[in-house]
Amino acid sequence: MSAYIDALIALPIIIPLLAGALSLVFWRSHAAQRWMGVLGTLLLLIVSVHLLLETWEQDHLVMHMGGWHAPFGIVLVSDMLAAIMVILTGIIGFATAVYSLSDIGERHERFGYYPLFHLLLAGVNGAFLTGDIFNLYVWFEVMLVASFALLILGGERAQMEGAIKYVTLNLVSSMLFLTAIGLLYGLTGTLNMADIAVRLGEVEDTGLVTVIAMLFMVSFGIKAAAFPLFFWLPASYHTPKVAVSALFAGMLTKVGVYALFRVFTLIFDQDVDYTHEILLWIAMLTMLTGVLGAAAQFEFRRILSFHIISQIGYMILGLALFTPLAILGGVFYILHHIIVKANLFLISGLTYQLKGSHELKELGGLYRSHPMLGLLFMVPALSLAGLPPLAGFFAKFIIIRAGIEVEAWLAVGVALVVGLLTLYSMVKIWNEVFWKAQPAGIGPARSPGRSLFWMWPPIIGLALTTVAIGLYGQPVFEMAERSAEQLLDTSRYIEAVLGADYIESLQEMRR
Amino acid sequence: MEIVMAFVIGFLYAAALYMMLRRSIVKLVIGLVLLSNAANLVIFTAAGLVRGAPPLIYPGELLPPSASADPLAQALILTAIVIGFGVLAFAVVLIHRAYEVVGADDMDQMKDTDT
């Protein structure tokens, strides 16, 4: 039984690593790499469903790597939040792998698209599952290196320029993270996150703890694209292939948000008044700047990129309010946002293939020629804006309700206004791309030159998921509720990782 | 000794930030190199500077002497150096390609994606 659990926790990391290695073995056969992508991610999805069910049953799953018990060895921990994030990686990975069959051409496959794709998924899953703060840094770097290479695949000028900003700011963030780890290790003498949480309770110099907390906040804030350090995101996310954009938009910034959730519930919960007040302001400013930035844009993917930023604000708002309902809302929001945002990017890729442009001014008349695509766009777009009965409505509803309960009126007001402005942006895209007539003088639908068949199933599948979460939200709500409980009751996490014996011996030593 | 290290680290961070704020992309990468070295020295110093006390377990003992150096911090730094090396190799290739494509070693010329 225990061996089964151990394997189950490690598999979401091992499967993409193996699939990536096999893709390298079949370097010359692009067909083999393509199907390896689909099969590998499908397998990942199946395993992640098992992991979620098993985590639901047993609360916390812990695996001690190499048999070295925590806090000395590295642990992989799956609680509800991690399991939810892993299953979302599976969903988005599978969707983009299928989409890539039509989207990614020979030219990109020749430069190793598929091995990098799998490596990225491995890094993301590793970051979600690890229970060791330095290991988290290592997985971040695995993910970053893969994303750097995916971002510049193709080698166009815009990609180079975007990549320099992306690489620089993310490396600065990594170095701040590393500095913070060094100081934290100096303070506590351990790297295991549960052990750190126990030992920080004994540290008398709370000022130093808050300094370290701020270093983590800035570092993860850059990775999550929170105000004021989000400039790398709109500079780079619209430059690579659409399948890559969708994967980045779905998963990468959410790894930063996940790390914020993990660190600011488990480790830094001593000085909540101070740290979470700052998070609250960051959340509000992130929402506002993101949505206002989007209003000024007229390029399909740039609008979507700015909306990633504004939506990150809602998630951080959930964390900042720091009540069970707010954390629940934050988790629900992450879940809904990943599916919806990846779907919108996939749709932008399909319109590009049909019309040959990402510029709103050059697009038009798509509703007349492809009414089905118009409907499929409406589902994630309205969900993003938070219209019932779609998933996004419930996500916003929970967070705003949590805000009202703690009487954070300003935050509630900002969240509502940003929701309206999001609707404005989505309607703008709808009017320009689908409703208005094809502008004169710009060529009509060009023939894309290859089959677009595989672009449809992921878009339809993700749209159906959004509707399903909206109509049958109860299981998802319960999962988010459980993860909020676990995040706020840190003693359960700590006991699961360290074991009751170790905690007892620590308490005895203190006496 | 810690005081000296603190000044060295502070100087490295300052120099790194100064280099990164220049417009030249080559200086940007030099800034990143300095930054990663500064972070490594922080780990080294924060774990405690111990002189002449290797963490060896002597015959017949179960534990190393109490004031010995901390090997874990050095393992961390080693990992960080390897990762930093890989990432910097990528960054150097990236700025080389960017220089070829844009034709200038100037951040101010690289704003196509910002508007």
Side-chain angles (χ1 to χ4, degrees):
Chain A
M1 191 61 192
S2 158
Y4 167 72
I5 297 287
D6 280 0
L8 199 59
I9 304 176
L11 275 177
I13 303 170
I14 293 172
I15 290 171
L17 278 180
L18 264 185
L22 279 174
S23 303
L24 281 177
V25 171
F26 293 105
W27 181 257
R28 282 163 195 283
S29 166
H30 295 155
Q33 288 190 27
R34 276 175 221 148
W35 291 108
M36 197 86 70
V38 174
L39 282 180
T41 48
L42 180 63
L43 204 60
L44 176 63
L45 183 56
I46 293 169
V47 168
S48 56
V49 172
H50 272 274
L51 181 67
L52 184 71
L53 292 176
E54 202 66 42
T55 310
W56 178 260
E57 287 288 314
Q58 303 193 17
D59 213 38
H60 285 88
L61 303 181
V62 181
M63 177 221 177
H64 302 274
M65 267 203 248
W68 290 92
H69 206 277
F72 303 109
I74 293 171
V75 285
L76 295 182
V77 189
S78 168
D79 63 353
M80 278 312 287
L81 179 62
I84 290 173
M85 298 307 281
V86 168
I87 200 172
L88 287 166
T89 317
I91 292 172
I92 300 304
F94 183 55
T96 44
V98 174
Y99 191 87
S100 301
L101 295 175
S102 284
D103 186 44
I104 301 296
E106 283 277 316
R107 200 163 69 90
H108 292 84
E109 281 168 356
R110 220 179 31 245
F111 287 105
Y113 169 76
Y114 282 104
L116 290 167
F117 173 81
H118 290 298
L119 190 63
L120 183 75
L121 292 183
V124 169
N125 276 341
F128 291 150
L129 286 173
T130 186
D132 183 282
I133 196 103
F134 191 77
N135 202 231
L136 182 66
Y137 163 75
V138 174
W139 287 120
F140 264 47
E141 294 301 299
V142 170
M143 178 185 93
L144 277 184
V145 168
S147 72
F148 292 166
L150 281 173
L151 189 65
I152 58 161
L153 219 58
E156 287 160 23
R157 176 174 175 155
Q159 286 182 303
M160 292 301 156
E161 293 186 6
I164 285 190
K165 290 152 198 166
Y166 178 85
V167 169
T168 309
L169 273 168
N170 272 294
L171 286 184
V172 171
S173 148
S174 292
M175 289 310 145
L176 285 176
F177 186 15
L178 198 57
T179 308
I181 291 175
L183 294 176
L184 198 54
Y185 179 70
L187 201 60
T188 60
T190 177
L191 292 168
N192 184 292
M193 287 198 260
D195 204 20
I196 291 173
V198 174
R199 282 165 195 270
L200 270 190
E202 303 160 25
V203 172
E204 280 163 18
D205 190 355
T206 48
L208 192 55
V209 176
T210 309
V211 169
I212 296 173
M214 296 317 292
L215 278 173
F216 275 107
M217 194 188 289
V218 174
S219 162
F220 295 146
I222 294 177
K223 288 199 197 298
F227 180 89
L229 299 159
F230 57 82
F231 296 103
W232 57 271
L233 193 149
S236 61
Y237 268 29
H238 63 290
T239 58
K241 290 296 268 186
V242 172
V244 176
S245 285
L247 191 61
F248 283 15
M251 297 320 299
L252 288 198
T253 46
K254 259 56 76 183
V255 180
V257 176
Y258 165 83
L260 277 177
F261 266 72
R262 177 65 72 212
V263 167
F264 280 94
T265 52
L266 179 63
I267 301 180
F268 300 113
D269 55 357
Q270 298 90 1
D271 201 357
V272 173
D273 285 345
Y274 182 72
T275 50
H276 289 64
E277 176 77 21
I278 294 176
L279 279 174
L280 188 67
W281 283 97
I282 290 176
M284 287 191 282
L285 290 167
T286 308
M287 284 193 277
L288 269 178
T289 45
V291 87
L292 292 177
Q297 298 295 327
F298 285 94
E299 208 259 29
F300 204 148
R301 286 198 285 175
R302 286 183 67 89
I303 297 177
L304 296 181
S305 302
F306 271 103
H307 275 295
I308 299 177
I309 299 165
S310 78
Q311 307 284 313
I312 294 288
Y314 282 98
M315 300 166 203
I316 299 178
L317 179 60
L319 175 63
L321 294 174
F322 210 62
T323 63
L325 190 65
I327 303 261
L328 189 169
V331 175
F332 199 110
Y333 211 102
I334 294 174
L335 201 151
H336 140 258
H337 170 82
I338 289 177
I339 293 170
V340 162
K341 185 55 85 181
N343 199 8
L344 283 170
F345 268 91
L346 295 181
I347 290 170
S348 83
L350 188 49
T351 60
Y352 178 77
Q353 293 295 344
L354 293 170
K355 291 286 174 183
S357 176
H358 283 303
E359 293 294 330
L360 294 189
K361 294 211 162 28
E362 296 169 13
L363 290 161
L366 256 182
Y367 187 66
R368 185 175 288 264
S369 57
H370 296 82
M372 183 65 184
L373 186 61
L375 287 179
L376 284 172
F377 171 76
M378 288 312 269
V379 173
L382 292 182
S383 181
L384 193 74
L387 261 64
L390 297 159
F393 167 73
F394 294 102
K396 279 204 174 65
F397 178 72
I398 298 168
I399 290 197
I400 288 171
R401 163 124 199 222
I404 292 173
E405 277 180 9
V406 295
E407 298 181 356
W409 302 116
L410 189 60
V412 169
V414 170
L416 288 172
V417 170
V418 170
L420 265 182
L421 288 171
T422 309
L423 187 61
Y424 159 72
S425 266
M426 291 300 125
V427 171
K428 181 170 83 179
I429 296 180
W430 167 261
N431 279 339
E432 295 280 329
V433 178
F434 294 95
W435 203 239
K436 80 166 190 233
Q438 174 79 31
I442 293 160
R446 56 160 203 177
S447 105
R450 66 178 108 107
S451 160
L452 298 181
F453 175 78
W454 290 108
M455 290 192 168
W456 290 93
I459 294 176
I460 296 171
L462 291 179
L464 285 179
T465 316
T466 311
V467 176
I469 294 176
L471 294 180
Y472 302 101
Q474 191 63 27
V476 178
F477 183 85
E478 277 169 14
M479 280 187 328
E481 190 178 24
R482 178 82 82 85
S483 69
E485 270 170 32
Q486 289 177 347
L487 285 175
L488 286 174
D489 183 10
T490 53
S491 61
R492 274 151 76 183
Y493 181 95
I494 292 169
E495 196 179 318
V497 172
L498 295 177
D501 298 347
Y502 180 80
I503 296 172
E504 242 168 57
S505 70
L506 266 185
Q507 279 160 351
E508 255 167 49
M509 266 166 64
R510 232 174 281 168
R511 272 178 231 134
Chain B
M1 194 60 195
E2 269 90 355
I3 298 288
V4 178
M5 287 302 280
F7 275 105
V8 169
I9 293 165
F11 179 73
L12 275 176
Y13 273 109
L17 286 178
Y18 176 71
M19 290 304 254
M20 294 178 75
L21 293 174
R22 308 289 295 271
R23 288 190 307 202
S24 157
I25 46 176
V26 177
K27 287 174 182 149
L28 177 75
V29 170
I30 295 175
L32 287 176
V33 176
L34 293 177
L35 200 59
S36 80
N37 287 336
N40 287 336
L41 282 181
V42 167
I43 302 180
F44 185 62
T45 314
L49 298 172
V50 182
R51 202 164 166 189
L56 298 174
I57 301 171
Y58 292 101
E61 305 263 337
L62 284 173
L63 294 168
S66 58
S68 60
D70 183 352
L72 182 66
Q74 305 189 13
L76 299 185
I77 296 169
L78 193 58
T79 316
I81 288 174
V82 173
I83 292 174
F85 176 75
V87 171
L88 285 170
F90 175 86
V92 170
V93 176
L94 176 70
I95 63 160
H96 178 65
R97 279 289 299 153
Y99 174 72
E100 282 182 349
V101 176
V102 180
D105 169 37
D106 186 355
M107 283 303 280
D108 279 3
Q109 305 290 321
M110 302 193 179
K111 52 193 181 190
D112 277 13
T113 58
D114 284 343
T115 46

Tab-separated table of all heavy atoms in Angstrom, chain A residues 368-389:
chain	number	residue	atom	x	y	z
A	368	ARG	N	-19.880	35.018	-38.746
A	368	ARG	CA	-20.579	34.627	-39.970
A	368	ARG	C	-19.992	33.334	-40.546
A	368	ARG	O	-20.722	32.430	-40.940
A	368	ARG	CB	-20.446	35.758	-41.001
A	368	ARG	CG	-21.228	35.543	-42.263
A	368	ARG	CD	-21.111	36.774	-43.140
A	368	ARG	NE	-21.871	37.899	-42.608
A	368	ARG	CZ	-23.105	38.196	-43.014
A	368	ARG	NH1	-23.679	37.493	-43.941
A	368	ARG	NH2	-23.742	39.216	-42.503
A	369	SER	N	-18.656	33.248	-40.551
A	369	SER	CA	-18.034	32.075	-41.183
A	369	SER	C	-17.916	30.887	-40.217
A	369	SER	O	-17.997	29.742	-40.643
A	369	SER	CB	-16.658	32.443	-41.743
A	369	SER	OG	-15.836	32.952	-40.717
A	370	HIS	N	-17.717	31.149	-38.907
A	370	HIS	CA	-17.552	30.057	-37.945
A	370	HIS	C	-18.379	30.344	-36.688
A	370	HIS	O	-17.820	30.675	-35.647
A	370	HIS	CB	-16.084	29.883	-37.553
A	370	HIS	CG	-15.197	29.489	-38.673
A	370	HIS	ND1	-14.680	30.397	-39.573
A	370	HIS	CD2	-14.747	28.273	-39.070
A	370	HIS	CE1	-13.940	29.765	-40.456
A	370	HIS	NE2	-13.975	28.471	-40.185
A	371	PRO	N	-19.715	30.210	-36.783
A	371	PRO	CA	-20.560	30.536	-35.609
A	371	PRO	C	-20.212	29.677	-34.395
A	371	PRO	O	-20.269	30.148	-33.251
A	371	PRO	CB	-21.975	30.252	-36.102
A	371	PRO	CG	-21.829	29.436	-37.336
A	371	PRO	CD	-20.513	29.768	-37.935
A	372	MET	N	-19.810	28.436	-34.646
A	372	MET	CA	-19.471	27.531	-33.550
A	372	MET	C	-18.312	28.086	-32.715
A	372	MET	O	-18.340	28.053	-31.482
A	372	MET	CB	-19.083	26.190	-34.192
A	372	MET	CG	-18.775	25.091	-33.233
A	372	MET	SD	-20.198	24.621	-32.270
A	372	MET	CE	-19.416	23.441	-31.211
A	373	LEU	N	-17.302	28.634	-33.401
A	373	LEU	CA	-16.151	29.184	-32.699
A	373	LEU	C	-16.572	30.388	-31.860
A	373	LEU	O	-16.080	30.590	-30.748
A	373	LEU	CB	-15.067	29.585	-33.707
A	373	LEU	CG	-13.734	30.039	-33.110
A	373	LEU	CD1	-13.109	28.938	-32.293
A	373	LEU	CD2	-12.783	30.504	-34.191
A	374	GLY	N	-17.518	31.171	-32.393
A	374	GLY	CA	-18.034	32.312	-31.645
A	374	GLY	C	-18.639	31.876	-30.325
A	374	GLY	O	-18.370	32.457	-29.275
A	375	LEU	N	-19.440	30.827	-30.383
A	375	LEU	CA	-20.067	30.324	-29.154
A	375	LEU	C	-19.002	29.797	-28.198
A	375	LEU	O	-19.066	30.036	-26.994
A	375	LEU	CB	-21.060	29.208	-29.497
A	375	LEU	CG	-22.359	29.687	-30.150
A	375	LEU	CD1	-23.245	28.493	-30.458
A	375	LEU	CD2	-23.083	30.666	-29.232
A	376	LEU	N	-18.028	29.081	-28.767
A	376	LEU	CA	-16.979	28.534	-27.911
A	376	LEU	C	-16.160	29.642	-27.264
A	376	LEU	O	-15.636	29.473	-26.167
A	376	LEU	CB	-16.057	27.621	-28.722
A	376	LEU	CG	-16.620	26.248	-29.045
A	376	LEU	CD1	-15.710	25.516	-30.004
A	376	LEU	CD2	-16.789	25.438	-27.776
A	377	PHE	N	-16.033	30.789	-27.940
A	377	PHE	CA	-15.314	31.915	-27.336
A	377	PHE	C	-16.134	32.506	-26.191
A	377	PHE	O	-15.583	32.908	-25.166
A	377	PHE	CB	-15.029	32.984	-28.391
A	377	PHE	CG	-14.497	34.272	-27.810
A	377	PHE	CD1	-13.187	34.348	-27.387
A	377	PHE	CD2	-15.310	35.379	-27.672
A	377	PHE	CE1	-12.695	35.514	-26.832
A	377	PHE	CE2	-14.834	36.547	-27.116
A	377	PHE	CZ	-13.511	36.619	-26.694
A	378	MET	N	-17.452	32.564	-26.382
A	378	MET	CA	-18.290	33.196	-25.357
A	378	MET	C	-18.170	32.495	-24.005
A	378	MET	O	-18.212	33.142	-22.962
A	378	MET	CB	-19.767	33.171	-25.786
A	378	MET	CG	-20.112	34.120	-26.905
A	378	MET	SD	-19.482	35.758	-26.637
A	378	MET	CE	-20.855	36.509	-25.804
A	379	VAL	N	-18.030	31.161	-24.024
A	379	VAL	CA	-18.020	30.433	-22.748
A	379	VAL	C	-16.853	30.882	-21.859
A	379	VAL	O	-17.084	31.403	-20.759
A	379	VAL	CB	-18.005	28.904	-22.986
A	379	VAL	CG1	-17.813	28.164	-21.682
A	379	VAL	CG2	-19.276	28.477	-23.658
A	380	PRO	N	-15.584	30.742	-22.307
A	380	PRO	CA	-14.503	31.201	-21.411
A	380	PRO	C	-14.500	32.711	-21.218
A	380	PRO	O	-14.156	33.185	-20.125
A	380	PRO	CB	-13.227	30.732	-22.104
A	380	PRO	CG	-13.588	30.457	-23.504
A	380	PRO	CD	-15.038	30.103	-23.523
A	381	ALA	N	-14.901	33.486	-22.234
A	381	ALA	CA	-14.849	34.942	-22.096
A	381	ALA	C	-15.814	35.412	-21.015
A	381	ALA	O	-15.456	36.215	-20.151
A	381	ALA	CB	-15.167	35.604	-23.430
A	382	LEU	N	-17.042	34.887	-21.046
A	382	LEU	CA	-18.021	35.310	-20.038
A	382	LEU	C	-17.669	34.727	-18.674
A	382	LEU	O	-17.934	35.350	-17.643
A	382	LEU	CB	-19.424	34.876	-20.463
A	382	LEU	CG	-19.936	35.613	-21.708
A	382	LEU	CD1	-21.340	35.165	-22.035
A	382	LEU	CD2	-19.900	37.119	-21.517
A	383	SER	N	-17.065	33.553	-18.673
A	383	SER	CA	-16.640	32.979	-17.404
A	383	SER	C	-15.543	33.840	-16.777
A	383	SER	O	-15.533	34.088	-15.570
A	383	SER	CB	-16.138	31.555	-17.624
A	383	SER	OG	-15.751	30.997	-16.406
A	384	LEU	N	-14.627	34.334	-17.619
A	384	LEU	CA	-13.551	35.198	-17.135
A	384	LEU	C	-14.129	36.476	-16.523
A	384	LEU	O	-13.677	36.960	-15.491
A	384	LEU	CB	-12.605	35.552	-18.279
A	384	LEU	CG	-11.277	36.197	-17.890
A	384	LEU	CD1	-10.370	35.160	-17.290
A	384	LEU	CD2	-10.611	36.832	-19.089
A	385	ALA	N	-15.174	37.008	-17.167
A	385	ALA	CA	-15.785	38.228	-16.660
A	385	ALA	C	-16.662	37.949	-15.448
A	385	ALA	O	-17.039	38.873	-14.726
A	385	ALA	CB	-16.599	38.890	-17.766
A	386	GLY	N	-17.011	36.672	-15.222
A	386	GLY	CA	-17.763	36.314	-14.021
A	386	GLY	C	-19.264	36.354	-14.180
A	386	GLY	O	-19.980	36.820	-13.288
A	387	LEU	N	-19.773	35.885	-15.324
A	387	LEU	CA	-21.218	35.846	-15.512
A	387	LEU	C	-21.763	34.471	-15.140
A	387	LEU	O	-21.180	33.459	-15.501
A	387	LEU	CB	-21.565	36.157	-16.976
A	387	LEU	CG	-21.991	37.601	-17.224
A	387	LEU	CD1	-20.850	38.537	-16.923
A	387	LEU	CD2	-22.486	37.782	-18.639
A	388	PRO	N	-22.892	34.427	-14.417
A	388	PRO	CA	-23.486	33.132	-14.107
A	388	PRO	C	-24.081	32.522	-15.371
A	388	PRO	O	-24.435	33.265	-16.281
A	388	PRO	CB	-24.584	33.482	-13.093
A	388	PRO	CG	-24.915	34.901	-13.358
A	388	PRO	CD	-23.667	35.539	-13.855
A	389	PRO	N	-24.175	31.234	-15.485
A	389	PRO	CA	-23.891	30.207	-14.475
A	389	PRO	C	-22.517	29.585	-14.662
A	389	PRO	O	-22.335	28.442	-14.280
A	389	PRO	CB	-24.968	29.166	-14.777
A	389	PRO	CG	-25.077	29.197	-16.278
A	389	PRO	CD	-24.752	30.604	-16.697
